[in-house]
Amino acid sequence: IAGITQAPTSQILAAGRRMTLRCTQDMRHNAMYWYRQDLGLGLRLIHYSNTAGTTGKGEVPDGYSVSRANTDDFPLTLASAVPSQTSVYFCASSDSRTSLRNEQFFGPGTRLTVL
Amino acid sequence: AQSVTQLDSHVSVSEGTPVLLRCNYSSSYSPSLFWYVQHPNKGLQLLLKYTSAATLVKGINGFEAEFKKSETSFHLTKPSAHMSDAAEYFCVVSIVGTASKLTFGTGTRLQVTL
């Protein structure tokens, strides 16, 4: 693994189903993030984690939950998917302890369609 | 509070001509500013960043940006466009020292024609 990986690459999901998007980084970054990207809206922060064991809400957290059991993994769960959650989801990480503070590194994205 | 405005949703240039993508920001504190590029069906890649050092920042692939505090601007430029520059570009603002507070612009799609 080099950098950030996300799985699955894409998924079609029936409304009401539960779905977990996976994100793993091997850079030992302390902070991780989940964004959704929608046409004309740029990227919007869903949830973040500044360090293992802590999480926080971003701009659009409703309908999503996260956990950060260790440094490397930051899964995003949709408990009961709705069509408005159709989007491209990006995971990112950063190391706020070094001069790279605030620079975020992005995964390749997961394209989710909720029908 | 912080925000960023990308003034053009779409820019079209001919190959070999200059590129200008405009970005204005608003921040209550000393900002960090970034430009990210996203090629079709790909993730985001950092082009360049300003973090309170030199105001003219050089990035990858010949891009550069100038931080102008008096104009609250951070426009992205390149002297000569290549076909491979066609992509979506995002201007991003962050408060220095805050790891979780990136605010993205809505993006500018750059089209490069022959």
Side-chain angles (χ1 to χ4, degrees):
Chain A
I1 296 177
I4 300 178
T5 58
Q6 293 183 234
T9 302
S10 65
Q11 182 74 45
I12 299 174
L13 189 66
R17 297 297 295 270
R18 180 184 180 89
M19 177 73 191
T20 295
L21 307 185
R22 300 184 299 278
C23 174
T24 299
Q25 55 106 357
D26 65 354
M27 297 176 284
R28 308 303 294 173
H29 285 172
N30 61 303
M32 297 187 74
Y33 315 84
W34 274 105
Y35 294 89
R36 60 178 290 172
Q37 183 180 24
D38 302 290
L39 191 65
L41 297 177
L43 274 76
R44 294 178 293 169
L45 183 65
I46 304 171
H47 285 287
Y48 65 92
S49 169
N50 284 335
T51 189
T54 69
T55 62
K57 293 182 178 180
E59 182 184 354
V60 288
D62 294 344
Y64 306 95
S65 63
V66 292
S67 61
R68 186 87 183 278
N70 57 61
T71 297
D72 299 344
D73 301 300
F74 191 45
L76 176 74
T77 297
L78 289 66
S80 179
V82 296
S84 61
Q85 292 178 310
T86 294
S87 187
V88 181
Y89 291 86
F90 287 99
C91 180
S93 70
S94 70
D95 188 348
S96 61
R97 300 163 297 179
T98 71
S99 61
L100 295 175
R101 183 175 299 174
N102 292 317
E103 178 180 349
Q104 294 186 11
F105 297 83
F106 286 81
T110 293
R111 185 174 296 275
L112 182 66
T113 302
V114 182
L115 301 177
Chain B
Q2 59 190 39
S3 65
V4 61
T5 302
Q6 293 185 242
L7 299 168
D8 306 291
S9 59
H10 181 262
V11 170
S12 182
V13 301
S14 300
E15 190 176 34
T17 64
V19 175
L20 170 64
L21 305 183
R22 299 182 293 166
C23 173
N24 286 104
Y25 71 91
S26 173
S27 177
S28 303
Y29 302 96
S30 179
S32 293
L33 291 157
F34 308 82
W35 276 98
Y36 281 85
V37 60
Q38 183 181 30
H39 288 92
N41 300 313
K42 301 291 185 183
L44 279 77
Q45 179 185 18
L46 181 68
L47 270 181
L48 50 80
K49 62 181 177 180
Y50 165 79
T51 56
S52 76
T55 56
L56 181 62
V57 181
K58 294 187 182 298
I60 61 172
N61 300 333
F63 284 94
E64 63 181 37
E66 186 172 8
F67 173 72
K68 292 186 176 181
K69 185 175 181 178
S70 61
E71 299 176 10
T72 61
S73 69
F74 191 58
H75 300 334
L76 181 70
T77 60
K78 183 174 181 178
S80 176
H82 295 164
M83 294 297 291
S84 61
D85 295 328
E88 187 92 16
Y89 291 80
F90 293 95
C91 183
V92 183
V93 64
S94 167
I95 299 173
V96 173
T98 305
S100 61
K101 300 299 183 185
L102 288 190
T103 300
F104 283 76
T106 53
T108 298
R109 179 162 299 278
L110 177 64
Q111 180 182 15
V112 182
T113 60
L114 289 172

